[in-house]
């Protein structure tokens, strides 16, 4: 009876490295739409996992497509989350005022007025067509 051959300590099989890269990239893309800052951090980890998986897959003679897909998805997630995080930081004061206004708003019409004030304040700070590009319309 022979014992199974195990990979050296600290190394994982190439297949699992590729799968890890793609799953981290998908998770980073999902996090980007929920919490952009968390998506930014996860996208960096996914990008690193994809880059590390490439040589492992190539040395094992496996196609590197899954790692390349992970790199591509994580790059998209990194770009989107960086833009969203930058926009949140840039409009932090306006968003804080909007949240304070909503706390005191007791009716739907007063909540709409809070949004109008936020939109007007953001329009003063941003270039004219940015809010149209972002799709910021009154709910």
């Amino acid at each position: 009876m022979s014992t199974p051959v195990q990979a050296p300590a600290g190394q994982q099989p190439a297949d699992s490295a590729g799968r890890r890269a793609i799953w981290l990239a998908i998770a980073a893309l999902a996090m980007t739409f929920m919490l952009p800052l968390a998506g930014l951090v996860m996208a960096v980890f996914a990008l690193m996992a994809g880059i590390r998986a490439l040589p492992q897959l190539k040395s094992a003679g496996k196609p590197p497509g899954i790692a390349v897909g992970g790199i591509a998805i994580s790059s998209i997630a990194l770009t989107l989350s960086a833009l969203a995080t930058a926009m949140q930081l840039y409009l932090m004061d306006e968003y804080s005022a909007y949240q304070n206004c909503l706390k005191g708003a007791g009716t739907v019409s007063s909540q709409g007025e809070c949004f109008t004030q936020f939109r007007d304040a953001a329009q003063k700070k941003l270039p004219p067509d940015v809010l149209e590009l972002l799709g910021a319309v009154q709910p």
Side-chain angles (χ1 to χ4, degrees):
M1 184 174 238
S2 64
T3 58
V5 178
Q6 294 181 354
Q11 292 185 353
Q12 72 257 0
D15 289 334
S16 65
R19 283 192 302 270
R20 180 178 300 120
I22 195 79
W23 281 113
L24 279 172
I26 292 169
L29 191 59
M31 284 297 268
T32 295
F33 294 106
M34 293 183 283
L35 298 167
L37 188 57
L40 181 70
V41 171
M42 183 155 306
V44 169
F45 285 125
L47 188 61
M48 290 181 349
I51 291 170
R52 289 182 66 194
L54 271 178
Q56 290 177 351
L57 287 168
K58 287 181 182 178
S59 68
K62 309 254 180 187
I66 196 161
V68 171
I71 291 170
I73 293 171
S74 62
S75 297
I76 292 168
L78 184 66
T79 302
L80 291 175
S81 60
L83 289 172
T85 301
M87 183 68 74
Q88 283 182 342
L89 291 174
Y90 186 65
L91 295 175
M92 187 175 1
D93 294 335
E94 289 77 8
Y95 187 69
S96 178
Y98 173 66
Q99 290 297 322
N100 287 335
C101 181
L102 282 180
K103 287 179 185 175
T107 64
V108 174
S109 63
S110 60
Q111 290 174 352
E113 181 61 31
C114 290
F115 179 78
T116 303
Q117 290 173 2
F118 170 72
R119 187 186 62 215
D120 293 342
Q123 281 178 340
K124 289 177 186 173
K125 202 166 185 179
L126 295 172
D129 295 332
V130 171
L131 290 178
E132 287 180 23
L133 179 67
L134 295 175
V137 294
Q138 187 167 0

